[in-house]
Amino acid sequence: MTDVAQIVQAEFETVKAEIAALYLQSANAGTGSWAHSLEVKVTEGSVTLLGSGYLEGRKPGKQPPTTAIEKWLQEQGIANLVAKEQSVSGLAYVIARKIAREGWKPDKKGTELAAQVLTPQRIQQVIDKAGDILIGRFTKDIIDFLKQIAAK
């Protein structure tokens, strides 16, 4: 990995951590698994920040798995609140059925969380850090080329 790719990797790992922290503070945090799904992929020509798409919501259609909803109910403490009136599995089934019928839209989407962290100023900072190395290389290449021409 080149110096530039290493700088971009480090900067976007920081961005990823900040987006994950914002998510975990949000009402949509649930189990927190979305924050753990974030991944940075860097190549010489690009950088990509990937995450599970479910933070964007869910369209009506297929019913989600009730086990995931049961886990969420347990982690949020809701299971204890409804234990005397209804079974956790029954409540999870009703929620899953409603999601299948109406879909689900989060309060904040993953792209909105990313936009809070990945501002134009932040992108410019990354460009400036990586650009210094590239300008230095480009300048050295030009000087070397001019020296070769002068030596002929």
Side-chain angles (χ1 to χ4, degrees):
M1 190 180 289
T2 66
D3 296 342
V4 173
Q6 288 175 342
I7 288 171
V8 171
Q9 177 83 35
E11 290 295 319
F12 273 81
E13 289 294 338
T14 303
V15 165
K16 176 182 93 169
E18 290 175 23
I19 292 170
L22 274 177
Y23 169 73
L24 291 171
Q25 294 170 4
S26 76
N28 295 321
T31 63
S33 61
W34 184 81
H36 300 297
S37 77
L38 294 174
E39 180 183 356
V40 175
K41 290 193 176 187
V42 178
T43 65
E44 286 303 316
S46 70
V47 61
T48 307
L49 181 60
L50 303 167
S52 297
Y54 67 81
L55 195 65
E56 298 298 319
R58 185 181 182 112
K59 293 180 181 179
K62 188 176 176 187
Q63 187 168 311
T66 57
T67 54
I69 296 171
E70 285 180 43
K71 180 180 175 188
W72 180 82
L73 290 168
Q74 294 286 350
E75 290 175 355
Q76 297 300 310
I78 298 169
N80 295 335
L81 297 173
V82 299
K84 293 178 183 174
E85 301 166 20
Q86 186 173 6
S87 71
V88 176
S89 61
L91 179 59
Y93 176 78
V94 170
I95 292 170
R97 195 173 64 194
K98 183 171 193 264
I99 292 171
R101 194 173 55 248
E102 299 176 15
W104 173 77
K105 291 185 181 176
D107 294 335
K108 279 197 171 188
K109 295 180 176 184
T111 52
E112 292 171 9
L113 290 172
Q116 288 179 8
V117 174
L118 205 51
T119 62
Q121 297 84 2
R122 186 67 173 274
I123 293 169
Q124 188 61 50
Q125 288 175 351
V126 175
I127 290 169
D128 291 345
K129 286 181 180 180
D132 288 343
I133 292 174
L134 292 174
I135 289 171
R137 284 184 193 160
F138 182 68
T139 304
K140 182 185 176 308
D141 290 346
I142 289 175
I143 291 170
D144 289 347
F145 178 72
L146 292 173
K147 285 180 182 177
Q148 287 176 356
I149 291 174
K152 290 182 180 182

